[in-house]
Amino acid sequence: MKDLHETWVYLSASPLLHLTLTLVVFVAASSVFKRAGRNPLANPVLVSMIAIVLLLLLTGTSYQTYFDGAQFVHFLLGPATVSLAIPLYRQLNRVRQSALAILVSLLCGSATAVFSAVAIAWLLGAQASSVMSLAPKSITAPVAMAVSEKLGGLPSLTAVLVIVTGICGAMLGPLVLNLLKITDWSARGMAMGVASHGIGTARALQVNELAGAFAGLAMGLNALATAVLLPLVWRLFF
């Protein structure tokens, strides 16, 4: 056991360890996801997150130490987001034809995501800072944290809420859309992108390219609309 502990201490000093750990865990989680018949409850992001948290707790590794090694994956979030323009470009004609529907659904979806969360939290007696942190939960994390800070919320809490929202959307979104008998792939993609940002968009891309294209568009436009309009509306009513 002493030799094992010394080996772990030596390996944990290398940033490569936590990068490798992240990739191995995600590949394993993706395998579990496929074997489960792509069941939303076996979402690879959720499974990976739980597995890595447990490993960090068991080994007594701080998050900062882990992030120092895995930050290359964090860096790749930018290029990965930009690459969503590829399926969008392939569906450009369809997007142009649906411009009015996209605008209306974006505004309705964005407003619903914000005000439903704020109203429920307020009715349940949440503190003002928690309500402010919850408001931008449906947009991508970097933008959501900036909006939360501007409103007077807690960016760290917002980051957690964004992740939970994305995972729940990816897990439950397709089930809800099926129950509502929504079969149009562009509509399904818009719903996933507006409600559950990048994680929902990744889920939409796994199912259908058209849905993925519209989800990517919705994610980007929702982040822009929320970042611009939410602080203005908040000042008017709160």
Side-chain angles (χ1 to χ4, degrees):
M1 290 296 294
K2 182 179 179 181
D3 291 340
L4 181 61
H5 176 72
E6 290 177 351
T7 301
W8 172 255
V9 171
Y10 172 75
L11 289 174
S12 62
S14 171
L16 184 61
L17 173 66
H18 296 108
L19 174 61
T20 304
L21 173 66
T22 303
L23 298 177
V24 169
V25 168
F26 185 77
V27 169
S30 298
S31 178
V32 170
F33 181 56
K34 291 177 182 178
R35 292 188 178 186
R38 296 186 179 276
N39 189 311
L41 297 177
N43 184 281
V45 176
L46 175 63
V47 174
S48 299
M49 183 175 70
I50 293 173
I52 289 175
V53 168
L54 289 175
L55 285 170
L56 295 183
L57 290 174
L58 289 172
T59 58
T61 304
S62 68
Y63 174 76
Q64 187 59 51
T65 300
Y66 166 76
F67 183 78
D68 288 343
Q71 61 182 320
F72 183 68
V73 177
H74 179 76
F75 167 77
L76 289 177
L77 284 174
T81 302
V82 173
S83 69
L84 292 173
I86 297 175
L88 180 61
Y89 177 77
R90 292 172 179 166
Q91 305 294 336
L92 195 57
N93 289 334
R94 182 71 179 268
V95 171
R96 287 173 178 170
Q97 294 170 4
S98 308
L100 180 60
I102 290 172
L103 178 61
V104 173
S105 61
L106 172 70
L107 293 176
C108 291
S110 181
T112 300
V114 172
F115 290 112
S116 62
V118 168
I120 292 171
W122 206 283
L123 289 173
L124 292 176
Q127 294 182 351
S129 59
S130 298
V131 174
M132 296 172 189
S133 303
L134 190 61
K137 65 174 177 54
S138 291
I139 59 177
T140 187
V143 181
M145 293 172 70
V147 172
S148 174
E149 186 175 14
K150 190 173 183 65
L151 296 178
L154 306 172
S156 57
L157 177 58
T158 298
V160 174
L161 294 170
V162 167
I163 294 172
V164 172
T165 299
I167 292 175
C168 290
M171 291 170 57
L172 303 177
L175 298 177
V176 173
L177 293 170
N178 289 338
L179 288 174
L180 295 175
K181 300 186 184 303
I182 298 174
T183 57
D184 183 84
W185 288 114
S186 58
R188 291 174 70 98
M190 282 293 299
M192 294 293 287
V194 170
S196 48
H197 52 84
I199 300 176
T201 298
R203 173 62 175 157
L205 274 170
Q206 290 177 337
V207 178
N208 181 271
E209 183 176 337
L210 178 60
F214 273 79
L217 176 64
M219 179 186 71
L221 293 178
N222 187 34
L224 178 62
T226 303
V228 173
L229 298 177
L230 180 56
L232 296 176
V233 174
W234 196 271
R235 287 179 182 177
L236 288 175
F237 293 97
F238 298 97

